Amino acid sequence: MRASLLALATVLALSGCQTAPVATDAPPAMPAPSQTADARFKAVSDAWLDRWMALNPVAATQLGDHRFDDRIDDLSATGRQQLVDFSRDLLTRLDAIDRTQLTRENQVDALILRNQLQSDIWNMETFQSWAWDPQVYNGLAGGAIYNLMAREFAPMPQRLKSATARMEQIPALFAQMRANLDPARVPLIHAQTVAKQNAGVLQLVDEFITPNAGQLTGADRTRLDAAVANLKKAVADQQTWLDKTLVPNAKGDFRIGAKLYDQKLQMALMSSLSRQEIGERAKAELSRVRGEMYGIARTVLKGRKGAPPLPANPTDDQRQKAIEAALELAYRDHPARDGVVDAAKAALTQATQFVRDRNLVSVPNDPVKVILMPEFQRGVAVAYCDSPGPLDKGLDTYFAISPIPDDWTKEQTESFLREYNSRMIHLLTIHEAMPGHYLEGAYSARYPSTLRGVLRSGLFAEGWAVYTENLMTTSGYMNNDPLFRLVQLKFYLRTIGNAILDQGVHVDGWSREQAMHLMMHDTFQQEREAAGKWVRAQLSSAQLPTYFVGVQEQYDTRKAVEAKEGAAFNVKAYHDKVLSYGAPPVRFVRELMTDQPIE
């Protein structure tokens, strides 16, 4: 997954289901009625972009708006109400515009902005993550420093001064956290996860601040040192509160229930598919893919000593054993415990050259680096792509991988490395980097609509990344190795399982045993991967389905364009065009490319 759907999604949990910006104290005056609809929409869009950034300064830094780098978000009742009031005002102004009079591109942006405004209001007033999810605060504390220091968008002394100001404000953020959270509503898994991550803020100080502190002198250095000292005390006090108060008293249910889930899903995905339709399609696809995997297993196991029975019409147990036996051949080839990052770097080079050689899509020259995942972001996903904000140009994209925890046993480590075997490392690199999230993010940053760049769709991004896994495999990557295809289909099963799991956990009340059966039996995941996903499913909601729904809509879009263009269809031209729209929800890309009404 990409970071704006993980790191930034955590940072922006208060602001609804998508990413967004903030502003100066007063929005621009409402345009005169005589102005065109497009001019009126631009005024509303600019007002939202401006004001949103000021209300969400930590996110603003990540997005590339550096006017508020010395501030952090105000999560008090007053600060939350400011966002609600502002969103309601902008929603009224937006709804006063006749959308049919806008250009088709602006019609898309208007619908995206309307969804964001509604989700901001809904999250503050109905979902209320600020009252029960400590990840909101933890993400802001870490993001306040990380977003400033991870990329060189300004000289180090300037960023250190901003970091100093933010470190001075983090203790107040912790105080707001303690005042806002109701332990009776906080799920235990959320409290435990944040308790483990809390010290990660100081790890960021050690990694980014301390080694560079010498670039400040005089009063600036004195102020920085004082801020670090106060932050260390605040983190220690916060750890005591987390361990002694929040964790022992956390009694909330991590399941959000059908009503809230359906509302959140609709705003998070902006898809025409309902929860029920998503579930039905996912279950059908699960059966189809398992059937294809059995066909590959029969091929690679045929004639092998000790192979299980391989009948043409297997029982469920025979199919299971055959696929597991075939996957064992892939599991044997995996990197060493400390070799995952190096393996990903090599895979990135290979995948990039393959995309160019096969003319699959135009490849930009934007820089990308493979890094270890910062500590404060660990514990939710194994890897993510952290693209620079849409307002920052020419900066590095990070393909971040979480290291194997030091306290894992030999057996746990082996389980992880079997899951992330050498072939899976290639697929992970395809998904997160080339031609997945990194490539898509680079294209998205080029789209001229700032609004669309800021509200880049997670559905589009995750759907594109999964789409490219199949694209690379069917295009002959890894020399048409059948085991690579088998592992790719297993990876796709994870996508399918994500959608089923999310509903099962939050709507159907699944137990851990039910979830683990889906992951370890139905989708062939190793125990460590499945255990981690069980935690992730409890910590998040309505994000896991973005992979499956997104790729289904990507496939639907390609089919529609192929039907329209016929023999003139060109795969590279198609991919370049799909990516040229700046990553709105996929349904809008299909409507734009096939001349359908924007709905």
Side-chain angles (χ1 to χ4, degrees):
M1 68 189 299
R2 66 181 176 84
S4 37
L5 304 172
L6 170 64
L8 185 59
T10 302
V11 172
L12 297 183
L14 279 175
S15 51
C17 304
Q18 300 189 38
T19 313
V22 189
T24 54
D25 291 338
M30 185 177 293
S34 60
Q35 288 183 301
T36 66
D38 286 307
R40 295 176 65 195
F41 175 70
K42 183 179 186 304
V44 171
S45 175
D46 289 348
W48 181 80
L49 284 165
D50 189 47
R51 182 61 179 158
W52 202 99
M53 296 294 180
L55 293 171
N56 299 267
V58 172
T61 300
Q62 197 279 339
L63 292 164
D65 184 340
H66 298 293
R67 294 175 295 162
F68 314 104
D69 285 354
D70 60 347
R71 308 181 199 175
I72 62 173
D73 301 36
D74 178 7
L75 301 188
S76 67
T78 299
R80 300 194 305 268
Q81 192 61 45
Q82 285 179 342
L83 179 60
V84 171
D85 292 344
F86 169 71
S87 299
R88 282 210 174 95
D89 175 67
L90 262 290
L91 189 60
T92 298
R93 291 175 58 179
L94 180 62
D95 286 346
I97 299 171
D98 184 353
R99 190 167 54 85
T100 64
Q101 299 303 307
L102 298 173
T103 64
R104 285 172 62 79
E105 294 290 350
N106 278 343
Q107 288 180 41
V108 170
D109 282 2
L111 288 171
I112 294 172
L113 176 56
R114 191 174 196 280
N115 181 75
Q116 180 63 41
L117 292 167
Q118 290 178 318
S119 71
D120 279 348
I121 297 168
W122 176 83
N123 188 67
M124 286 295 183
E125 296 188 334
T126 303
F127 197 57
Q128 297 183 344
S129 56
W130 51 269
W132 59 267
D133 188 356
Q135 296 178 103
V136 170
Y137 304 86
N138 190 64
L140 279 171
I145 299 173
Y146 181 78
N147 294 348
L148 282 173
M149 306 305 297
R151 291 188 174 87
E152 297 180 5
F153 60 82
M156 178 59 72
Q158 178 181 331
R159 289 184 286 138
L160 286 171
K161 291 178 185 178
S162 296
T164 298
R166 282 187 168 176
M167 287 189 291
E168 290 172 339
Q169 297 168 65
I170 290 176
L173 175 68
F174 288 161
Q176 290 178 349
M177 176 180 180
R178 295 190 290 269
N180 290 345
L181 289 179
D182 177 1
R185 296 178 63 185
V186 176
L188 179 60
I189 185 65
H190 290 64
Q192 292 172 330
T193 298
V194 169
K196 292 177 182 178
Q197 293 176 335
N198 182 55
V201 176
L202 298 182
Q203 186 264 341
L204 290 173
V205 173
D206 292 340
E207 180 177 353
F208 292 113
I209 305 296
T210 303
N212 297 294
Q215 297 191 40
L216 293 183
T217 59
D220 291 331
R221 174 61 189 271
T222 300
R223 183 181 172 192
L224 183 146
D225 290 343
V228 170
N230 289 335
L231 179 59
K232 288 181 178 180
K233 181 180 183 304
V235 169
D237 291 344
Q238 183 76 344
Q239 192 69 54
T240 299
W241 178 79
L242 289 168
D243 293 338
K244 300 294 181 62
T245 300
L246 187 62
V247 171
N249 295 290
K251 308 296 182 184
D253 188 351
F254 59 81
R255 299 175 178 87
I256 66 173
K259 182 178 179 180
L260 288 177
Y261 185 88
D262 287 345
Q263 292 171 348
K264 187 175 183 181
L265 191 72
Q266 182 180 25
M267 287 181 282
L269 303 186
M270 290 193 74
S271 172
S272 58
L273 296 177
S274 67
R275 167 169 54 88
Q276 292 79 4
E277 290 168 328
I278 293 169
E280 290 170 2
R281 290 182 70 162
K283 291 172 184 176
E285 192 72 340
L286 178 67
S287 177
R288 183 194 70 78
V289 173
R290 283 172 58 89
E292 184 177 348
M293 292 176 72
Y294 179 68
I296 296 172
R298 293 186 75 199
T299 298
V300 300
L301 293 173
K302 185 177 180 180
R304 283 185 174 268
K305 184 178 180 180
L310 303 168
N313 297 301
T315 65
D316 180 72
D317 185 61
Q318 288 172 326
R319 179 184 294 107
Q320 189 74 16
K321 289 180 178 178
I323 296 173
E324 288 176 347
L327 285 169
E328 281 293 332
L329 302 178
Y331 295 157
R332 297 171 187 171
D333 181 12
H334 64 66
R337 180 187 182 111
D338 59 354
V340 176
V341 172
D342 287 340
K345 290 179 179 178
L348 178 58
T349 298
Q350 182 175 332
T352 301
Q353 190 61 49
F354 182 87
V355 170
R356 287 186 169 129
D357 289 346
R358 294 301 176 96
N359 287 318
L360 296 180
V361 60
S362 297
V363 178
N365 294 317
D366 301 53
V368 57
K369 294 180 179 179
V370 183
I371 65 168
L372 285 177
M373 188 182 297
E375 184 176 343
F376 84 101
Q377 292 176 335
R378 297 174 192 172
V380 179
V382 171
Y384 63 74
C385 178
D386 182 4
S387 301
L391 306 180
D392 275 328
K393 306 297 182 184
L395 300 182
D396 291 337
T397 290
Y398 297 131
F399 171 21
I401 298 177
S402 181
I404 296 174
D406 292 335
D407 60 354
W408 274 15
T409 65
K410 181 179 179 180
E411 291 73 22
Q412 289 174 320
T413 299
E414 180 64 17
S415 172
F416 176 89
L417 291 173
R418 281 164 56 83
E419 181 72 18
Y420 290 94
N421 56 77
S422 297
R423 292 175 176 85
M424 184 64 89
I425 291 295
H426 278 273
L427 285 163
L428 194 66
T429 303
I430 289 168
H431 180 104
E432 300 293 349
M434 178 59 66
H437 287 317
Y438 152 70
L439 185 81
E440 177 267 317
Y443 269 86
S444 178
R446 287 166 169 74
Y447 189 75
S449 167
T450 301
L451 178 73
R452 193 176 300 182
V454 166
L455 293 178
R456 178 181 174 199
S457 167
L459 185 77
F460 183 100
E462 298 298 356
W464 170 262
V466 176
Y467 169 87
T468 63
E469 299 162 18
N470 184 66
L471 171 68
M472 292 286 278
T473 307
T474 57
S475 297
Y477 189 68
M478 300 290 284
N479 299 313
N480 293 303
D481 171 19
L483 285 179
F484 184 73
R485 175 61 170 174
L486 186 67
V487 173
Q488 183 260 314
L489 288 173
K490 176 191 164 175
F491 202 20
Y492 180 42
L493 278 184
R494 187 190 301 185
T495 290
I496 300 167
N498 283 346
I500 298 172
L501 176 67
D502 205 52
Q503 292 188 22
V505 169
H506 288 287
V507 177
D508 301 326
W510 275 16
S511 66
R512 185 181 191 275
E513 289 69 28
Q514 288 174 291
M516 294 295 282
H517 179 81
L518 169 74
M519 291 183 282
M520 295 184 66
H521 177 275
D522 296 352
T523 68
F524 303 99
Q525 295 175 45
Q526 294 294 301
E527 188 275 336
R528 281 294 83 192
E529 171 65 23
K533 186 63 63 66
W534 165 244
V535 171
R536 180 174 168 186
Q538 297 171 79
L539 291 173
S540 66
S541 55
Q543 193 279 324
L544 285 172
T546 58
Y547 305 86
F548 178 73
V549 178
V551 75
Q552 292 299 303
E553 293 201 0
Q554 291 283 359
Y555 288 143
D556 291 346
T557 299
R558 177 162 174 172
K559 290 176 184 176
V561 175
E562 284 179 329
K564 177 186 176 185
E565 297 184 357
F569 180 84
N570 176 275
V571 68
K572 182 179 182 181
Y574 169 76
H575 291 147
D576 287 356
K577 187 67 173 176
V578 167
L579 293 174
S580 73
Y581 291 107
V586 187
R587 80 174 201 237
F588 296 130
V589 174
R590 183 168 62 251
E591 291 166 357
L592 289 166
M593 294 186 73
T594 57
D595 300 321
Q596 299 175 19
I598 306 300
E599 300 176 336

